[in-house]
Amino acid sequence: MTAEKKGYVISTETTCDMDRSYYMENGINLLGMTYTLGDREYDSASEDTLASKEFYQLVRQGAMPKTAQVPVEKAARSFAALADEGYDIFHLAFSSGLSGSYQACCIAAEDVMANHPGTKIRVVDSLAASMGQGLMLNYAVTLKNQGLALDELADRIEAEKLHFCHNFTVDDLNHLHRGGRVSKMTAILGTALGIKPLLHVDNEGHLINVGKIRGRRQSLDWLVAKMAEKLGDYQNEVVYVSHGDCLEDAQYVAGLVRKRFGIKNIVIGDIGPVIGTHSGPGTVALFFMGETRNI
């Protein structure tokens, strides 16, 4: 028996790095990616996931976590449960340039639609990460609250997603070396000289090293300088700053944004264990909407 249609649900993954209360308050269907520390695997969407501060403390002590994408079966179970209740689904997936979760969710969506005639599932590749994906999620929530239908919302996100700008800096080059972003020699020399890499997420959703600068404060200033270059005519009502257990640095960046652009609504959040596995402690990222995300 086909369930009575009830509209659509917004779905995403924990890679948005939004506060858990946000997902609950907005009725978001949440898929958790997993990460492993030692011989224990954690689901980042479950209540027993590590708090960010505890996670980074373990990493600073030498823990070497690993992550895994959302499996097809897990996404299919989640989508099927919603379809059984009569819901269509808009799923905002973690960047295909950083993970296979988007492809897994597409396969799951096709499978669920085949077994639930009349159910529509739109999966959009966010080409985004951390609170950049979170900012896009918040945009989708706003559009849904404005009354946009599923296809209208999905089409709008597709049209706008390359205007969600991501700029990062990290404090520890060794995590970038582990992820293959810089060579071992670069990590050793850069750390010794106080060199801080400057990164962004490009139009293909890849994390790209676009430069380097000497000194932590200078790297944080760079984030805001790049925002000034990219804003164009976009008026940001909200800007997101995420951090890897370095709240004071995130607050410094937020203060610069507030002073330079007059933006009052700045949300500061933790980079969770899944993204933090690859970026490490001391990462600061600035997310906003602008004319272009490419540097």
Side-chain angles (χ1 to χ4, degrees), residues 132-207:
Q133 186 182 354
L135 185 62
M136 199 177 299
L137 174 66
N138 187 62
Y139 185 58
V141 168
T142 300
L143 295 176
K144 184 174 186 286
N145 290 340
Q146 290 173 355
L148 267 69
L150 172 59
D151 283 330
E152 292 176 312
L153 183 147
D155 291 345
R156 180 78 71 85
I157 296 294
E158 285 282 9
E160 292 281 353
K161 65 185 181 183
L162 293 183
H163 293 289
F164 288 81
C165 303
H166 305 49
N167 292 332
F168 296 76
T169 186
V170 303
D171 199 36
D172 187 345
L173 284 160
N174 291 304
H175 290 278
L176 290 182
H177 166 60
R178 282 180 54 204
R181 302 293 175 184
V182 299
S183 69
K184 184 174 182 62
M185 185 58 68
T186 296
I188 293 171
L189 290 177
T191 300
L193 296 173
I195 299 298
K196 307 302 177 185
L198 311 172
L199 308 102
H200 84 127
V201 174
D202 69 9
N203 285 350
E204 286 72 49
H206 300 115
L207 185 60

Side-chain angles (χ1 to χ4, degrees), residues 39-55:
D39 58 359
R40 182 171 178 184
E41 182 179 84
Y42 298 85
D43 183 331
S44 56
S46 70
E47 292 189 1
D48 68 347
T49 186
L50 293 173
S52 293
K53 200 162 194 68
E54 182 180 1
F55 170 79

Side-chain angles (χ1 to χ4, degrees), residues 53-105:
K53 200 162 194 68
E54 182 180 1
F55 170 79
Y56 286 113
Q57 182 178 4
L58 291 171
V59 171
R60 287 189 172 104
Q61 291 170 354
M64 301 283 281
K66 296 180 180 179
T67 61
Q69 69 181 55
V70 173
V72 173
E73 296 78 10
K74 183 176 188 177
R77 285 196 303 271
S78 182
F79 293 164
L82 291 170
D84 287 341
E85 294 180 31
Y87 290 106
D88 293 328
I89 302 163
F90 168 75
H91 184 78
L92 184 67
F94 184 43
S95 173
S96 63
L98 298 171
S99 168
S101 287
Y102 166 67
Q103 288 81 0
C105 289

Side-chain angles (χ1 to χ4, degrees), residues 108-279:
E110 291 295 332
D111 179 66
V112 171
M113 285 189 289
N115 289 287
H116 294 76
T119 295
K120 178 177 287 188
I121 304 175
R122 289 287 301 269
V123 180
V124 171
D125 181 359
S126 69
L127 301 175
S130 190
M131 289 183 80
Q133 186 182 354
L135 185 62
M136 199 177 299
L137 174 66
N138 187 62
Y139 185 58
V141 168
T142 300
L143 295 176
K144 184 174 186 286
N145 290 340
Q146 290 173 355
L148 267 69
L150 172 59
D151 283 330
E152 292 176 312
L153 183 147
D155 291 345
R156 180 78 71 85
I157 296 294
E158 285 282 9
E160 292 281 353
K161 65 185 181 183
L162 293 183
H163 293 289
F164 288 81
C165 303
H166 305 49
N167 292 332
F168 296 76
T169 186
V170 303
D171 199 36
D172 187 345
L173 284 160
N174 291 304
H175 290 278
L176 290 182
H177 166 60
R178 282 180 54 204
R181 302 293 175 184
V182 299
S183 69
K184 184 174 182 62
M185 185 58 68
T186 296
I188 293 171
L189 290 177
T191 300
L193 296 173
I195 299 298
K196 307 302 177 185
L198 311 172
L199 308 102
H200 84 127
V201 174
D202 69 9
N203 285 350
E204 286 72 49
H206 300 115
L207 185 60
I208 302 296
N209 190 358
V210 294
K212 56 188 178 181
I213 199 166
R214 194 164 187 173
R216 176 65 164 178
R217 185 57 58 89
Q218 288 83 349
S219 70
L220 300 177
D221 291 343
W222 175 85
L223 297 175
V224 181
K226 280 299 169 185
M227 180 176 174
E229 291 180 14
K230 292 184 176 187
L231 269 180
D233 294 328
Y234 274 79
Q235 302 295 318
N236 283 261
E237 293 184 3
V238 59
V239 165
Y240 287 178
V241 180
S242 63
H243 67 95
D245 196 30
C246 51
L247 178 59
E248 288 186 3
D249 288 340
Q251 291 172 331
Y252 172 76
V253 170
L256 290 180
V257 170
R258 193 174 290 112
K259 181 177 180 180
R260 184 161 184 173
F261 307 110
I263 299 171
K264 295 181 180 179
N265 190 4
I266 302 173
V267 178
I268 298 175
D270 295 329
I271 297 174
V274 173
I275 302 295
T277 291
H278 305 282
S279 58

